[in-house]
Amino acid sequence: MLLVAARSAAQGRMAGLMTQVGISAGTLVHALILALGLSQLFLAVPYAYDTVRYLGAAYLIFLAWQAIRGPENAAANSAPITDLSLLVIFRQGLITNLLNPKVALFFLALFPQFLDPEKGLIGLQVMLLATLFVAIDFAVHGVLIWIAGSVKSFSTGRRNLKKYSGYFLGFVFTGLAARLVLDEKR
């Protein structure tokens, strides 16, 4: 939620929306992995969980560095501001979610109580629950994107706010990375 809000505030509503679409795609991939029974790997092999967690944190630090070093924050600041393409923003949301093993563990903890083998294929039930989860998540984040995107609209034409939005986004990425690394609970 913080990532979507920060992206919307720093780069506008469309950037926030594409981040959310990427995160939602990642959520559906996690659900597919659960439906295939592969999420159990995180419970059986703690090193797999830690490996994905550290890769996710490293990726977030990379994104933080890019946000801070972006064209908006260049020392000369004479070059025109160029936003990331929507495909790049989508990809960042997707990879950020895929490298977050807590999504898989969340599904492992939440979904089994709603699954019933007598009602049909478990994999299909998992995907149905995940689709419902994504729809609710999209609705909640849609409001957040709209509100946070107002910050970007407000900052249009204000050079200092544009300059600091990259720092803000970098700070959020760094905070998310730190949380991923420091949170040992599974």
Side-chain angles (χ1 to χ4, degrees), residues 1-4 6-7 19 23 52-69 89 91-103 166-182:
M1 186 177 280
L2 187 58
L3 172 60
V4 172
R7 179 74 77 175
T19 300
I23 289 170
V52 172
R53 184 168 61 109
Y54 292 133
L55 284 172
Y59 183 67
L60 286 167
I61 292 295
F62 169 73
L63 292 179
W65 178 252
Q66 280 189 325
I68 291 169
R69 297 280 298 163
I89 291 171
R91 190 176 61 226
Q92 288 177 351
L94 174 69
I95 293 171
T96 299
N97 198 347
L98 289 177
L99 292 178
N100 184 356
K102 291 178 186 246
V103 176
Y167 293 123
F168 173 69
L169 193 57
F171 175 75
V172 169
F173 282 136
T174 302
L176 291 171
R179 183 167 184 234
L180 197 56
V181 168
L182 298 176

Side-chain angles (χ1 to χ4, degrees), residues 12-53:
R13 290 184 182 114
M14 188 53 87
L17 180 64
M18 288 311 293
T19 300
Q20 180 59 40
V21 170
I23 289 170
S24 295
T27 297
L28 292 174
V29 170
H30 276 291
L32 182 61
I33 290 169
L34 175 65
L36 295 173
L38 299 176
S39 294
Q40 295 288 338
L41 179 67
F42 288 137
L43 298 174
V45 184
Y47 295 113
Y49 174 86
D50 289 335
T51 299
V52 172
R53 184 168 61 109

Side-chain angles (χ1 to χ4, degrees), residues 24 27-28 31 107 110-111 114 124-140:
S24 295
T27 297
L28 292 174
F107 283 170
L110 180 67
F111 283 6
F114 298 106
L124 186 60
Q125 292 178 47
V126 166
M127 294 310 293
L128 181 63
L129 286 171
T131 302
L132 181 61
F133 176 84
V134 166
I136 293 168
D137 189 46
F138 226 96
V140 170

Side-chain angles (χ1 to χ4, degrees), residues 7 15 18 82-92:
R7 179 74 77 175
M18 288 311 293
T82 57
D83 290 339
L84 296 173
S85 76
L86 295 179
L87 181 61
V88 169
I89 291 171
F90 166 82
R91 190 176 61 226
Q92 288 177 351

